[in-house]
Amino acid sequence: MKFMKLGSKPDSFQTDGNNVRYVASELATDITINVGDVKFYLHKFPLLSKSARLQKLVAAANDEIDDEVYIPDIPGGPAAFEICAKFCYGMTVTLNAYNVVAARCAAEYLEMQESVEKGNIIYKIEVFLNSSIFCSWKDSIIVLQTTKSLQPWCEELKVVSRCIDSIASKASMDTSKVEWSYTYNRKKLPSENKTDPQWNGVRKQQIVPKDWWVEDLCELEIDFYKRVIMSIKTKGRVSGDIVGEALKAYALRRIPGFSRGVIQSCDVAKCRSLVESMIWLLPIEKGSISCSFLLKLLKAAMLLDSGEMGRRELVKRIGRELDEASVTDLLIPAPAGETMMYDVDVVLSIVEEFVMQEQNLEIEPPPTEEMQEITSIGFISDTSKLTVAKLVDGYLAEIARDPNLPLSKFIDLAEMVSGFSRPVHDGLYRAIDMFLKEHPGITKSERKKICKLMDCKKLTADACMHAVQNERLPLRVVVQVLFFEQVRAATSPSGSSTPEIPGSLRALIPQENGGSHGSSRTTTTNTEEDWDAVPTTEELKALKGELASLRLGNGRSEKNEGDSRSIEKAAATKVKGLLMSKKLFSKIWSSKWSQDENSSSDTSESPGSVNPEETKSTPSRNRRYSVS
């Protein structure tokens, strides 16, 4: 820490109790100066020779015999006044980063300029500030912190602005030119303490990280921190990702519970102001700050009831970088008073922002090559779309556990990413199954509506295995799953992919957009209500046993193309006969909804992530309902 000594005479100030200070001298004191609740018994001559204000105050005093002056509003209080008084007496005083600003403001109050006497204290303090304090990283931060209690004097004297410029300039320097101890909050490295076992008397050059200044600035209060960051951004020499890292570090340090997505033991007004400042300071460059941090900031803004404008800005930022988020990040608690567990509406807004990026590009194509280069940043790659689709599937599976979640919100969110092609629908199936499990009271039409969201052809073998045993699914869905599974087994021995469905078989399944939407009715007289009924365990077993016979001839399908066509024809005839069999479906047609509800008890668990390991967790059920 830098310091400066003024004066050469010994300090002869004495204390009499807590509220009396006097100078031990052979000469009797002739002036009493009241600073707050402290009385200073001093001499006129040394004080008046350097302070124009004291000259005026003494001249205006009524009692010439016992002069007494009151200066209750002097900045820095009794301590700052004592420094100035000692300087007037020529006594030794030491200025450092902790007291120099108070002394500077007190000297300004006392009008101790060069016009009163050459070499006055204001001139000396200014030299010390410019030549030492503002040249030191550590001292600049300390001085800036001390100015908080000395407003508005420090603003008028431009001490604050000079501190901020000093700090911002140093933070913006090339790291190769950083020669000072670049963070006073960390422990020194072994090589810096000369305790490194490999130290041989030659100082090794330290590799200074680009974010070396981040931790130190966390010591500043938000008002000063905001001004420093703005100055750093204005200089334009620090990249957006470093600024983003600084904001993240500050939020983690200053907002209790921020890392866990909760706000605890915090002054609400103070934390709200802090969060709003963080939003205002966010760098504009895409990718400069993690999506996880943005979502934590959004959670804090909602918990603290921050301004609507700031929350909208966060939603836009998160929407542009949604492919980097995780399901946990999106689980934002619902506002107080809501029946739902999570705030689904804000996630709907975020996903909408993501989807709108590409639509905006299509609506407003860039007219020039320069604009093309600028707006190409907003292009959504297929990888990003797939990532977001999987993210939404995972989020749906989590919020589906909420018994108060309306079906409409579930469907709205799922349909937002329905246009994003993904090869596997296992995640969506898991979410649908979880919703059906947690909402057993939904109607047949609602059950049909939610199951339309997934494409049965895009379920893996493990998901199909679970689905054909799932008593929560409508009959039409079970038939579709079994049908596509058997066709896949018949036409692709490896079962690794779903082949193009032949025309003779396509007539037996729903025909819209390649998905499982629409009716599964055939030429029979089945009603929509029959197809939407939930089958019992016995009916599932019988149905699966019948459709399993489609595997006959599978080995012969590899011989030649003609045999394959024969198999397809046989499979079509078999399925058509099965679906027209009143003997098999008579029980299903005659079942009432109440019976279906009773029979659709929770006999199957959600497939979770629908992987082989989780399928193996129910070996007895797999053996009982084996497709083969």
Side-chain angles (χ1 to χ4, degrees), residues 368-433:
T368 63
E369 294 183 2
E370 291 78 6
M371 288 298 296
Q372 176 71 43
E373 183 178 354
I374 294 173
T375 56
S376 63
I377 301 175
F379 173 74
I380 307 178
S381 65
D382 291 339
T383 302
S384 295
K385 293 178 183 178
L386 178 59
T387 301
V388 170
K390 291 181 177 179
L391 175 68
V392 171
D393 290 347
Y395 178 75
L396 288 171
E398 290 296 325
I399 63 174
R401 303 173 191 272
D402 182 3
N404 295 318
L405 175 69
L407 176 63
S408 59
K409 292 187 182 295
F410 185 100
I411 292 177
D412 288 345
L413 186 53
E415 288 181 341
M416 275 191 178
V417 295
S418 61
F420 296 168
S421 177
R422 48 198 189 275
V424 177
H425 274 205
D426 286 15
L428 183 56
Y429 166 67
R430 173 177 175 252
I432 292 172
D433 182 53

Side-chain angles (χ1 to χ4, degrees), residues 608-625:
S609 57
V610 195
N611 55 36
E613 289 76 7
E614 296 183 11
T615 304
K616 292 177 183 177
S617 64
T618 56
S620 61
R621 184 171 297 156
N622 293 346
R623 289 194 298 270
R624 182 178 177 185
Y625 300 110

Side-chain angles (χ1 to χ4, degrees), residues 122-228:
I122 289 181
Y123 170 76
K124 293 184 180 294
I125 290 177
E126 285 296 327
V127 171
F128 177 55
L129 288 173
N130 293 324
S131 64
S132 297
I133 294 296
F134 297 144
C135 293
S136 168
W137 168 256
K138 176 181 178 180
D139 291 343
S140 295
I141 293 176
I142 295 173
V143 166
L144 182 58
Q145 289 172 304
T146 63
T147 62
K148 186 174 181 63
S149 60
L150 296 167
Q151 300 292 344
W153 289 90
C154 290
E155 293 289 356
E156 294 176 359
L157 297 174
K158 301 189 182 302
V159 175
V160 174
S161 60
R162 287 185 287 170
C163 275
I164 290 173
D165 185 68
S166 170
I167 295 169
S169 296
K170 289 176 175 59
S172 302
M173 285 183 63
D174 191 313
T175 55
S176 63
K177 298 179 181 179
V178 176
E179 299 177 350
W180 54 85
S181 179
Y182 53 83
T183 172
Y184 68 90
N185 288 315
R186 68 169 174 81
K187 294 180 180 179
K188 287 188 176 182
L189 298 173
S191 58
E192 293 176 310
N193 288 327
K194 301 181 181 179
T195 58
D196 191 342
Q198 297 182 351
W199 188 74
N200 56 3
V202 178
R203 179 181 293 275
K204 298 179 180 179
Q205 184 174 359
Q206 301 298 327
I207 299 177
V208 180
K210 292 183 178 180
D211 60 348
W212 62 267
W213 49 270
V214 166
E215 291 294 331
D216 285 352
L217 294 193
C218 291
E219 301 294 323
L220 299 174
E221 292 295 329
I222 185 60
D223 293 339
F224 291 145
Y225 183 83
K226 181 165 59 175
R227 293 172 65 177
V228 170

Side-chain angles (χ1 to χ4, degrees), residues 36 41 48 51 56 80 156 158 171 199 284-285 324 330 503 602:
Y41 294 95
L48 301 185
S51 171
K56 299 171 187 175
E156 294 176 359
K158 301 189 182 302
W199 188 74
I284 61 174
E285 298 88 352
E324 297 179 3
L330 292 175
D602 187 15

Side-chain angles (χ1 to χ4, degrees), residues 25-45:
S25 173
E26 296 178 354
L27 296 174
T29 60
D30 54 4
I31 185 174
T32 302
I33 300 179
N34 294 275
V35 183
D37 57 353
V38 179
K39 287 181 176 291
F40 288 86
Y41 294 95
L42 306 172
H43 302 85
K44 291 182 181 179
F45 176 73

